[in-house]
Amino acid sequence: MFALKVAVFWGCITQTSQYACELSVRRIMKELNVELVDLEGTSCCGTPIKSVSAYASIYLAARNLAIAEATGLTDLLTVCNGCHLSFTEAMRFLKADEALRARVSSLMSEEGLTYEGSVNVWHVMDFLHDVIKKEAITKAVKRSLKGLRLAVHYGCHIIRPSPLGRPDDPEEPRKLDDLVEWIGAVSVNYSEKLDCCGAMLMLSRPDGALTMAGSKLKALRECDVDGLVVICPSCHRMFDERQRSAGAAVGVDVRVPTLYYAQLLGISMGIDEEELGLHLNRSPVDELLSKVKDALSP
Amino acid sequence: MTLIDLMTSKGPDLGLRLKALKKAGEHKPYDCYQCARCSSGCPSMKLLELKPHEVVGLVRMGFVEEVIESGMAWACASCLKCKERCPQDVAPADLMLALRNLAFEMGKEVPEAYTRILSEVMEFGFVQRPQEVLTKRLVRVNRERLGLPKMPEPSERFKSTFLRALEEL
Ligand code: SF4
Ligand code: SF4
């Protein structure tokens, strides 16, 4: 039996290329007795369209929120920093501006949708940290990650802009560090922790974007970490899928095992590697996995 | 292009300045006192010579078209550090987006990738179609082979409402 039931919004990047994020989130939520309800008829969350038209991006966010509300569920889970920010921002704009809300509502009614602004928007990070909580997470751990030294990357959009109300502190976030430490690994502090992955720049200045990602990976190589943990599919794409090009942009063969947090949690739960999409990571995750096995040996 | 080049090329355009200021977002160029704190933490400054305080200053003076044509706004990584740290709540990050919106509206040159994702969202609802990816053992897989459900499809109506959202200003 499921203890909790939430609507889930996957977004563009997860559903069209970063399958490891989707596979691992689906799998760990099952393990934690959370039922995920997929949404019909959703679209892009609006984030990339912010550069084209602020209004159209708010429209996209609002229609997805309306689809979630139509399920009657009170909670909506996102797996991406961009989706979480786009939804939170749109809710704020629509609440503050009645004229905007009237325009969006009338357009949406042609799709048969109604927006109330009533759903709670969660990100995997604060959902695990604040809803599932420490006790349930530690109880699910079957393999110890003891001895693993991991770096965490929050990503910009989950901690900023703080006046909007973000899941964690803009300058000293803790939740992802906690999630890593609750399951037995060490979260290593490093000075580039809050540096941007560059994902949004990929569309306009890929050279700069890859240099941003590469500089962070290069810095990590010097910190002697066993891996990098991310919580956003866009950051995952920059640090995992594009690791080779990011390294090339800064002239270094970086080799930093990079995984999405749900994959790490899944490993500690003893879940099969392929079910967590670990066969899809492009960074050398096997190096990290072999250390988990080492840590388990008597 | 430097600040001086931009300003000597043409005079300020106050109408366009107003238009930029009215764009959605929380940017308030008038409140800027040019402390340059935004630029000091900007990751695009080191790499791409983006100076958010200069962009704010130019817009404030009415050199909007010059800023748009310089392409500066497209060097922003949307990291939101400037928005978080500005002592005056000016939000240069939002101004960059407003300038990009204006570039589309005025038919100026925009990065090709944005035109591509825009047409994908219009046609398909998402920025790209699901890709085939390679596993560690070099097997080609797609959503179906990975046991993932079909992607959601927005209704036929969506295309026309989204198009109208793009046209409405
Ligand atoms: S930090 Fe704010 S006040 Fe200072 S220069 Fe930048 S935009 Fe202006
Ligand atoms: S949001 Fe853009 S302008 Fe502001 S600090 Fe980040 S990269 Fe620089």
Side-chain angles (χ1 to χ4, degrees), chain B residues 129-144:
Chain B
R129 318 270 158 158
Q131 316 274 299
E132 280 194 345
V133 295
L134 285 180
T135 67
K136 197 159 61 182
R137 289 192 200 82
L138 302 181
V139 181
R140 259 181 200 289
V141 290
N142 54 21
R143 291 187 61 83
E144 199 185 346

Side-chain angles (χ1 to χ4, degrees), chain B residues 31-39 52-53 56 82 85-92:
Chain B
D31 291 351
C32 169
Y33 53 37
Q34 291 287 303
C35 68
R37 188 162 174 202
C38 50
S39 298
H53 76 284
V56 172
C82 55
R85 294 177 181 170
C86 169
Q88 293 287 91
D89 293 331
V90 171

Side-chain angles (χ1 to χ4, degrees), chain B residues 22-94:
Chain B
K22 275 199 281 191
K23 284 277 166 207
E26 297 168 310
H27 51 88
K28 298 181 292 185
Y30 282 125
D31 291 351
C32 169
Y33 53 37
Q34 291 287 303
C35 68
R37 188 162 174 202
C38 50
S39 298
S40 75
C42 173
S44 291
M45 179 164 112
K46 225 174 18 182
L47 290 176
L48 303 166
E49 292 173 9
L50 174 68
K51 297 183 193 71
H53 76 284
E54 272 188 15
V55 173
V56 172
L58 286 165
V59 170
R60 195 171 58 168
M61 286 184 282
F63 292 95
V64 180
E65 191 157 9
E66 289 78 358
V67 177
I68 290 174
E69 281 172 357
S70 76
M72 282 179 187
W74 301 101
C76 165
S78 295
C79 75
L80 309 179
K81 274 192 184 155
C82 55
K83 182 168 176 175
E84 186 69 42
R85 294 177 181 170
C86 169
Q88 293 287 91
D89 293 331
V90 171
D94 289 8

Side-chain angles (χ1 to χ4, degrees), chain A residues 9 11-17 19 22-23 26 38-44 48-56 58-60 63 85 89 92-93 103 106-108 110-112 156-157 159-163 170-171 194-196 198 200-205 207-209 211-212 237 273-274 278-280 282 286 289, chain B residues 23-26 43-44 47-48 71 73-81 83-85 89 94 97-98 100-102 104-105 111-114 116-118 121 124-138 141-143 146-155 157-158 160-162 164-166 168-169:
Chain A
F9 179 87
C12 299
I13 310 298
T14 303
Q15 289 186 108
T16 61
S17 82
Y19 305 125
E22 185 174 342
L23 285 166
R26 287 188 188 276
D38 279 62
L39 300 171
E40 300 275 336
T42 47
S43 59
C44 165
I49 303 302
K50 280 181 192 172
S51 291
V52 180
S53 154
Y55 178 64
I58 292 171
Y59 179 69
L60 287 174
R63 72 176 292 284
L85 176 63
E89 225 168 34
R92 221 265 300 266
F93 287 147
R103 278 166 72 203
S106 107
L107 199 50
M108 197 181 298
E110 289 175 35
E111 280 200 80
C156 303
H157 295 175
I159 52 174
R160 291 187 282 265
S162 58
E171 307 291 349
L194 300 185
D195 285 4
C196 177
M200 290 282 285
L201 257 189
M202 271 315 281
L203 293 167
S204 50
R205 299 292 298 269
D207 49 339
T211 308
M212 277 185 201
R237 181 158 66 164
E273 289 169 18
E274 292 206 357
L278 283 159
H279 59 319
L280 302 176
R282 298 255 79 93
D286 285 345
L289 287 165
Chain B
K23 284 277 166 207
E26 297 168 310
S44 291
L47 290 176
L48 303 166
W74 301 101
C76 165
S78 295
C79 75
L80 309 179
K81 274 192 184 155
K83 182 168 176 175
E84 186 69 42
R85 294 177 181 170
D89 293 331
D94 289 8
L97 293 177
R100 291 176 179 192
N101 286 193
L102 262 184
F104 269 97
E105 213 176 298
E112 188 262 305
Y114 275 100
R116 193 180 65 233
I117 60 161
L118 183 58
V121 173
F124 172 66
F126 295 90
V127 298
Q128 65 178 7
R129 318 270 158 158
Q131 316 274 299
E132 280 194 345
V133 295
L134 285 180
T135 67
K136 197 159 61 182
R137 289 192 200 82
L138 302 181
V141 290
N142 54 21
R143 291 187 61 83
L146 290 168
L148 292 169
K150 253 189 128 74
M151 274 186 76
E153 273 172 52
S155 65
R157 280 264 170 78
F158 166 75
S160 66
T161 50
F162 179 60
R164 282 202 11 234
L166 281 169
E168 266 185 54
L169 293 172

Side-chain angles (χ1 to χ4, degrees), chain A residues 166-223:
Chain A
R166 306 304 293 131
D168 213 333
D169 189 87
E171 307 291 349
E172 284 179 57
R174 267 306 308 172
K175 290 184 183 172
L176 184 55
D177 295 81
D178 287 349
L179 287 170
V180 163
E181 294 188 335
W182 289 352
I183 57 177
V186 172
S187 174
V188 177
N189 217 355
Y190 62 110
S191 45
E192 295 79 6
K193 193 166 172 178
L194 300 185
D195 285 4
C196 177
C197 74
M200 290 282 285
L201 257 189
M202 271 315 281
L203 293 167
S204 50
R205 299 292 298 269
D207 49 339
L210 291 169
T211 308
M212 277 185 201
S215 311
K216 183 148 183 163
L217 289 165
K218 188 176 162 192
L220 279 174
R221 230 177 57 130
E222 279 141 32
C223 294

Side-chain angles (χ1 to χ4, degrees), chain A residues 31-50:
Chain A
E31 205 68 17
L32 293 167
N33 290 322
V34 178
E35 183 178 357
L36 299 179
V37 178
D38 279 62
L39 300 171
E40 300 275 336
T42 47
S43 59
C44 165
C45 74
T47 296
I49 303 302
K50 280 181 192 172

